[in-house]
Amino acid sequence: MARKRMIDPQLWVNEDFSKLSFLSRLIWIGLISNADDEGRGKANISYLKSQLFPYDEDLSLKKIENSIKEIEKFMSIEFYSVNDKKYYQLLSWKRFQNINRPSQSQIPEKMGNFEKKISECSVNNHEQISESSVNNHEQITDNSVPKIEIEIEDNKKERVKKEKAPRIFVAPTLDEVRNYAEARCSAVDPVKFFEFYSAGNWVDGKGQPVRNWKQKFLTWENKEPAALKLPGRAYTKDEFNSMVQSIDEIEL
């Protein structure tokens, strides 16, 4: 059973919330109260009716389904499926809920192109190293290890400012962050990155407004402590950096 949840008083004057029907508003509050400590919950229509309206026999599943579509359109929530089971994730959860000793969610995160791309990149890198790294005499040659291309953002000092007008920052959407992470084969979780800066209104740890969210993403990527998992072996960040250094020495 979910814990007691906080309902922000500002919800009642929120413009998006006001666009919902009365039933949808009630269901939205129900989704909050039934979410686990990571802001996730089951989104099966029959299940939601049994949890939110157990005694309302006249309330049809179709009405609840229509309300879910309303909520998805106007509110900060994402509905998704894993293994044909429906779930939801409240995107601004950490902004409004202060949970002491949170329990790990038993509901899976959304599995999409991002996770699939990470897996494919890891497998491809492993195959390249294992198949071409050793010749017939078990000696490493100049061409045995693939070169690792590292994308480096242009130095800001070398950029020429052609426009005098100040740059206006536009916050990215969750899909934009996901696509950027996917393109880089990054181990950074795009949902956690998006929720962290969204909760802080896109202000960094020094209290300064974020001007380039991709630069912040690269910083997260460089500090990512998680192991790079390859088939049959897990490489830590230090081991991976050591591999890169060895490759540089061979090329010299």
Side-chain angles (χ1 to χ4, degrees):
M1 177 175 283
R3 302 186 188 186
K4 295 180 181 179
R5 303 304 183 193
M6 296 291 296
I7 302 297
D8 192 332
Q10 294 298 316
L11 176 67
W12 307 107
V13 294
N14 181 278
E15 292 185 7
D16 290 331
F17 183 71
S18 70
K19 296 175 184 177
L20 302 178
S21 65
F22 284 136
L23 177 60
S24 299
R25 296 179 194 182
L26 191 57
I27 292 177
W28 172 249
I29 295 174
L31 294 177
I32 295 174
S33 65
N34 281 272
D36 62 20
D37 287 353
E38 294 187 24
R40 300 179 201 148
K42 298 179 181 179
N44 179 277
I45 302 299
S46 298
Y47 174 81
L48 290 176
K49 183 179 186 300
S50 68
Q51 295 298 304
L52 305 182
F53 309 101
Y55 305 114
D56 297 282
E57 297 180 359
D58 295 336
L59 181 60
S60 68
L61 296 179
K62 185 63 176 178
K63 288 184 178 180
I64 297 178
E65 183 179 3
N66 290 338
S67 290
I68 290 298
K69 292 179 180 179
E70 267 190 59
I71 291 171
E72 184 177 21
K73 181 178 180 180
F74 294 110
M75 305 307 291
S76 180
I77 190 171
E78 183 174 30
F79 292 94
Y80 61 96
S81 298
V82 176
N83 296 328
D84 296 327
K85 294 183 179 180
K86 298 180 180 179
Y87 304 102
Y88 67 87
Q89 171 73 62
L90 298 171
L91 301 180
S92 300
W93 180 253
K94 295 181 181 179
R95 180 180 177 184
F96 297 104
Q97 304 296 328
N98 186 11
I99 301 173
N100 184 28
R101 297 180 181 178
S103 301
Q104 185 174 3
S105 177
Q106 299 301 311
I107 294 178
E109 294 184 75
K110 179 179 179 181
M111 296 293 291
N113 293 332
F114 168 70
E115 291 81 1
K116 183 178 179 182
K117 188 69 175 180
I118 289 294
S119 176
E120 291 176 351
C121 290
S122 298
V123 172
N124 291 338
N125 289 339
H126 177 72
E127 289 177 348
Q128 291 176 20
I129 294 176
S130 60
E131 291 178 1
S132 61
S133 59
V134 181
N135 62 11
N136 294 334
H137 299 285
E138 297 184 351
Q139 295 178 346
I140 298 179
T141 64
D142 290 341
N143 298 322
S144 63
V145 182
K147 296 181 180 180
I148 300 177
E149 296 181 358
I150 301 176
E151 179 181 350
I152 301 176
E153 188 172 321
D154 295 338
N155 192 320
K156 288 185 178 180
K157 294 182 179 179
E158 297 177 357
R159 295 178 182 175
V160 179
K161 296 183 179 179
K162 297 182 179 180
E163 298 181 3
K164 295 182 180 180
R167 230 172 124 188
I168 300 176
F169 172 75
V170 178
T173 63
L174 179 58
D175 286 339
E176 287 177 332
V177 176
R178 271 208 186 99
N179 292 337
Y180 186 69
E182 177 182 336
R184 291 185 53 75
C185 293
S186 175
V188 174
D189 186 335
V191 175
K192 291 183 179 179
F193 175 85
F194 179 83
E195 288 182 349
F196 177 86
Y197 282 103
S198 293
N201 198 24
W202 294 93
V203 174
D204 62 22
K206 297 181 180 179
Q208 299 296 321
V210 173
R211 295 186 178 181
N212 189 330
W213 68 266
K214 290 184 179 180
Q215 185 180 42
K216 294 296 182 184
F217 188 96
L218 294 177
T219 300
W220 272 48
E221 189 173 78
N222 292 333
K223 294 182 179 179
E224 178 61 49
L228 174 63
K229 295 182 179 179
L230 301 178
R233 173 80 195 276
Y235 294 88
T236 65
K237 183 178 180 181
D238 290 339
E239 289 176 325
F240 185 77
N241 289 336
S242 179
M243 291 172 58
V244 175
Q245 184 177 359
S246 299
I247 293 171
D248 292 339
E249 292 175 356
I250 291 172
E251 290 184 346
L252 292 175

